[in-house]
Amino acid sequence: MSRDLPFRGRNVWHQPSGLIAFCLLFCLFMAFLSLGFDELNWGVIVATWLPWLPATWVFVIRPRLIMLDDELIVVGVFATKRYPLREVVRAEPDGYGTYFWLASGEMFCAATLWRPNYAAWFRWRTRAHKVATKILVRGAALRGDPQPSQVDQARGLGDMTIQWWFVS
């Protein structure tokens, strides 16, 4: 159960703090928006503000990636999944999350670790790359394999192809 899992710690990663702050400020904005009506009505305040708090909790604050001694736990929006850390053999950060591959060929995604598109364009290493490298190094150590190289960008601005569509 995800309630028993750590929420903070050295090997617990959440969504970026800027995204969390933005969502909480949006909740506050929705509360103040309801104050702009002619008549202060608690029903309007609750109807405009209250739905945003649980949504922020479920979609932004609660999801996390946890690395324990021998397993990787992905706490998602709807489910919590556990994967043996020694089985993680490959990682690739993307704009939607970081994709991990197990030795069996199974793939899973940790949406809390994502790489912005501008980071891909300029080939910048992000937090997702550093965390993915840390996870791969720990998995290789558990398997007894040599330390893998760091996770890098799969592509950059020079690798992108621009397609032009012409109407004839």
Side-chain angles (χ1 to χ4, degrees):
M1 189 157 232
S2 67
R3 245 180 267 133
D4 304 329
L5 298 173
F7 197 77
R8 290 193 174 102
R10 208 172 118 208
N11 291 327
V12 178
W13 298 280
H14 291 268
Q15 297 278 6
S17 55
L19 179 64
I20 294 172
F22 172 79
C23 290
L24 292 175
L25 286 173
F26 186 76
C27 291
L28 191 61
F29 169 75
M30 291 304 290
F32 285 128
L33 184 68
S34 61
L35 295 176
F37 293 112
D38 292 336
E39 184 178 311
L40 182 61
N41 182 344
W42 284 104
V44 172
I45 292 173
V46 169
T48 57
W49 176 60
L50 197 59
W52 296 104
L53 282 178
T56 299
W57 170 258
V58 169
F59 291 103
V60 179
I61 298 174
R62 181 183 172 273
R64 59 195 180 273
L65 179 67
I66 305 165
M67 183 174 67
L68 299 177
D69 292 335
D70 61 346
E71 69 180 337
L72 194 61
I73 304 170
V74 179
V75 179
V77 173
F78 301 111
T80 298
K81 302 266 183 159
R82 295 173 178 262
Y83 301 97
L85 195 54
R86 68 175 53 246
E87 296 294 318
V88 178
V89 294
R90 184 174 149 216
E92 188 175 309
D94 194 358
Y96 300 105
T98 299
Y99 294 92
F100 292 95
W101 281 266
L102 302 178
S104 64
E106 183 183 354
M107 180 189 66
F108 65 94
C109 181
T112 55
L113 293 175
W114 46 275
R115 175 218 59 204
N117 285 336
Y118 63 83
W121 298 336
F122 297 110
R123 294 184 185 241
W124 291 345
R125 280 184 51 79
T126 62
R127 178 180 75 123
H129 294 92
K130 295 172 186 172
V131 172
T133 300
K134 184 176 183 177
I135 291 169
L136 290 179
V137 165
R138 178 72 181 134
L142 289 173
R143 288 190 307 273
D145 291 347
Q147 184 173 344
S149 60
Q150 66 183 10
V151 177
D152 282 325
Q153 290 289 349
R155 62 172 196 243
L157 187 60
D159 299 333
M160 296 176 64
T161 58
I162 299 174
Q163 297 178 352
W164 295 95
W165 298 95
F166 294 100
V167 178
S168 54

